[in-house]
Amino acid sequence: MATTLFISDLHLSDNTPEIEAGLYALLDREQGMERLYILGDFFEYWIGDDDDTPLNRRVIARLKAVSDSGTKLFIVRGNRDLALGAVFADQVGGQLLGDTTVIDLEGTPVLVLHGDTLCTDDVEYLKMRAILHDPDWQAEMLQRPLSERREFAKGLRAASKEKAENDPDNIIDANDQAIAAAFAEHKVALMIHGHTHRPDRHKTADGERIVLGDWSAEASWIIRATDGNCQLEQYRY
Ligand code: MN
């Protein structure tokens, strides 16, 4: 039986030791899986592949062990860790995917994405996204000293906490028209994403959309595909 797992929205940081432990427990439990897809916001912030904090080094080592064991590892960037780069991918032995990718799941084409681009009602965010994804802006940012980027991230973290940005009530949901357009554009009847922190399965005339949830101190959300059949599961640590 070929198992593929999908996870997203761990929002790993120094403040999430339970989630980090939960990740390692999941990776131990699922040894031998064929593929692991990380669909964004794996880290709460990523200020560059040269940010060698103890957390980052621990997580990279564990992911490397997963890929070394023969599991194929794929990473989609989220809005929080959009600066994940080629060095990181190389260190973990994984492959970075673009904003939207159609994968072959045991013969079924499946669109995988973080999900933020479906939230088209969040006009302000999409404006900001365009800036943050500008290659020139990114290059300029990444060449700043690490200490300066760490200070910048600290400021962002404080502001985000204050606004409770990761609370689902404060995340605008996916837009129906954007969802229908994504099904049509990518010619799929199944899509998997995270970002909204609203884990659920939605069936429409166009197909099915399975949404991952964010991780808490007690439990994680995973999608397990066994021989192509998807289950949305909550995994308690
Ligand atoms: Mn997100």
Side-chain angles (χ1 to χ4, degrees), residues 21-204:
L23 169 67
Y24 301 155
L26 178 74
L27 296 177
D28 284 342
R29 195 184 65 154
E30 303 292 341
Q31 272 182 42
M33 64 187 144
E34 188 179 285
R35 288 183 268 173
L36 173 65
Y37 286 88
I38 298 172
L39 300 186
D41 290 358
F42 184 61
F43 293 99
E44 177 70 349
Y45 284 101
W46 192 261
I47 59 171
D49 292 353
D50 54 342
D51 186 25
D52 57 344
T53 63
L55 168 74
N56 293 352
R57 277 188 268 127
R58 287 194 302 274
V59 173
I60 286 169
R62 292 302 287 256
L63 290 181
K64 180 71 166 70
V66 169
S67 62
D68 279 348
S69 77
T71 297
K72 292 191 195 87
L73 177 61
F74 302 93
I75 303 119
V76 176
R77 302 172 187 86
N79 49 300
R80 302 232 162 227
D81 50 15
L82 66 123
L84 284 169
V87 172
F88 170 80
D90 189 52
Q91 284 172 334
V92 300
Q95 189 186 334
L96 279 173
L97 300 178
D99 282 350
T100 53
T101 307
V102 177
I103 65 166
D104 179 347
L105 194 61
E106 315 293 329
T108 303
V110 181
L111 174 64
V112 296
L113 67 170
H114 178 54
D116 54 328
T117 51
L118 297 172
C119 303
T120 50
D121 295 314
D122 197 345
V123 177
E124 226 171 279
Y125 165 68
L126 289 178
K127 264 190 227 158
M128 176 62 82
R129 188 180 194 279
I131 295 168
L132 297 178
H133 282 252
D134 178 67
D136 291 340
W137 189 91
Q138 283 188 6
E140 197 275 321
M141 193 64 182
L142 290 174
Q143 72 178 22
R144 291 191 202 178
L146 197 49
S147 56
E148 194 180 323
R149 279 177 278 143
R150 280 182 176 152
E151 280 306 306
F152 178 71
K154 212 190 275 180
L156 286 181
R157 204 173 292 151
S160 169
K161 204 175 170 198
E162 184 143 316
K163 289 190 275 179
E165 277 181 355
N166 288 332
D167 185 329
D169 290 343
N170 296 327
I171 303 173
I172 291 181
D173 205 356
N175 171 286
D176 288 342
Q177 273 132 29
I179 294 163
F183 276 124
E185 182 190 344
H186 298 284
K187 300 182 177 65
V188 294
L190 178 60
M191 75 170 89
I192 294 176
H193 69 81
H195 176 69
T196 60
H197 300 187
R198 292 180 178 86
D200 207 347
R201 301 182 72 139
H202 303 272
K203 280 188 181 153
T204 64

